[in-house]
């Protein structure tokens, strides 16, 4: 069974969370929603981590010492 569209949806959700997290301060409710999404599946955690690493490598997310 091909689950490519499911994988695409997980990647898109991970990217959406990353963009929101790095463009604005997440509200407590948003932070809880992100944490719930990450806790829901090991795939969610893996894809979010991979997407974050990709952004770091491409320079799209400033290093933690460059933030603030």
């Amino acid at each position: 069974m091909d689950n490519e569209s499911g994988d695409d949806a997980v990647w898109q959700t991970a990217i959406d969370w990353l963009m929101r997290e790095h463009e604005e301060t997440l509200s407590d409710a948003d932070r809880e929603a992100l944490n719930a999404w990450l806790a829901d599946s090991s795939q969610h955690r893996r894809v979010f981590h991979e997407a974050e690493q990709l952004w770091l490598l491409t320079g799209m997310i400033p290093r933690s010492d460059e933030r603030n």
Side-chain angles (χ1 to χ4, degrees):
M1 177 185 213
D2 185 2
N3 190 25
E4 188 173 315
S5 63
D7 291 344
D8 287 347
V10 171
W11 266 100
Q12 186 59 54
T13 301
I15 295 296
D16 290 346
W17 277 119
L18 280 170
M19 289 174 63
R20 289 179 64 192
E21 184 177 47
H22 292 283
E23 290 178 354
E24 62 189 66
T25 301
L26 294 180
S27 68
D28 289 341
D30 286 339
R31 176 67 55 195
E32 287 180 24
L34 171 57
N35 288 335
W37 182 78
L38 292 169
D40 187 49
S41 164
S42 62
Q43 180 190 24
H44 293 177
R45 291 186 300 277
R46 178 183 50 80
V47 169
F48 186 83
H49 178 72
E50 289 174 3
E52 191 170 43
Q53 292 301 308
L54 179 62
W55 277 37
L56 286 169
L57 289 171
T58 61
M60 295 181 73
I61 299 176
R63 295 186 325 251
S64 60
D65 62 339
E66 293 178 345
R67 296 179 194 160
N68 298 327

